[in-house]
Amino acid sequence: AGPSAASAAPVPAELVTAAQKTVPGVVSVMVGGGAASSASGSGFAIDNQQHIVTNDHILAKGGGGEVTVELSDGRRYAAEVVGREPGSDLAVLRVPAVAGLAPLPLAKPRSTKVGEPVLAVGSPLGLAGTVTAGIVSALDRQVRLGTTRRSAVQTDASINPGNSGGPLVNARGEVVGVNTAIATIDGNGSIGIGFAIPIEQVQQTADTIIGKGG
């Protein structure tokens, strides 16, 4: 057997298609900057009104500074903060209609299965459009999300700083959760245990925020 025998197994074609569909709808989120505190993460369009879901902790780390969103094609827009929900670590932004973001499809409630392949999409360490693959490791994992303990989707797809707020999608390209936290050893990077806010919680919270904030 030649060197190729040790190569990784082929990536399933459906994951390649899911990545192609998802990346254009994912944005980089940058908060603050300059002398003030700054933070960055990811987000994605959830409807046709240019509402973007992201993590509240990104805005909190940014110290309430101005929010800028960068699209996959490099265009940048100032974003309005429609509303925040620290308790669930979710926030909703909105960019001008000219951005033309297409919303990502959402998975049906309670349809996610342990063992199914998933992709984490976002901007880890500022590297926009990064895709990592893994599986759903567990469901209903009780972890601290925002200010409270909530059920989360556990995945071994690599999640690193900057992935927060980005989507975790299944092989059909449907969002099953919002990447929000990782477990680490001595604070050092991804060890294959990441957590995402389940899409049911995301949809409910986003609808509430948008309903209040317009």
Side-chain angles (χ1 to χ4, degrees):
S4 62
S7 63
V11 176
E14 59 268 25
L15 287 185
V16 175
T17 301
Q20 292 172 339
K21 291 179 178 178
T22 303
V23 168
V26 179
V27 302
S28 298
V29 177
M30 294 151 286
V31 186
S37 57
S38 62
S40 63
S42 306
F44 63 94
I46 197 170
D47 60 21
N48 287 313
Q49 282 70 54
Q50 305 302 295
H51 287 114
I52 294 169
V53 168
T54 189
N55 277 147
D56 179 72
H57 75 252
I58 300 170
L59 303 184
K61 287 181 180 178
E66 294 185 0
V67 182
T68 303
V69 166
E70 182 174 318
L71 279 57
S72 61
D73 60 9
R75 287 180 294 155
R76 288 191 175 194
Y77 296 97
E80 169 196 358
V81 178
V82 177
R84 301 171 57 178
E85 178 46 66
S88 56
D89 196 16
L90 290 167
V92 176
L93 312 174
R94 183 164 54 194
V95 292
V98 68
L101 283 171
L104 299 185
L106 308 182
K108 294 179 180 178
R110 311 303 299 180
S111 64
T112 304
K113 308 296 183 189
V114 173
E116 72 171 300
V118 286
L119 299 173
V121 187
S123 304
L125 306 179
L127 301 171
T130 296
V131 178
T132 55
I135 62 170
V136 173
S137 304
L139 297 172
D140 300 319
R141 189 69 82 195
Q142 293 296 309
V143 298
R144 180 169 292 280
L145 299 176
T147 59
T148 58
R149 292 185 67 83
R150 294 178 179 272
S151 292
V153 178
Q154 182 182 330
T155 180
D156 66 350
S158 181
I159 296 174
N160 286 286
N163 270 122
S164 291
L168 187 70
V169 302
N170 61 25
R172 294 180 296 279
E174 300 165 337
V175 182
V176 303
V178 171
N179 302 317
T180 192
I182 59 173
T184 63
I185 296 177
D186 298 327
N188 295 320
S190 173
I191 58 171
I193 301 177
F195 302 102
I197 305 169
I199 195 57
E200 299 87 359
Q201 176 67 46
V202 175
Q203 180 77 75
Q204 179 181 356
T205 301
D207 286 349
T208 299
I209 291 175
I210 292 169
K212 292 179 178 177

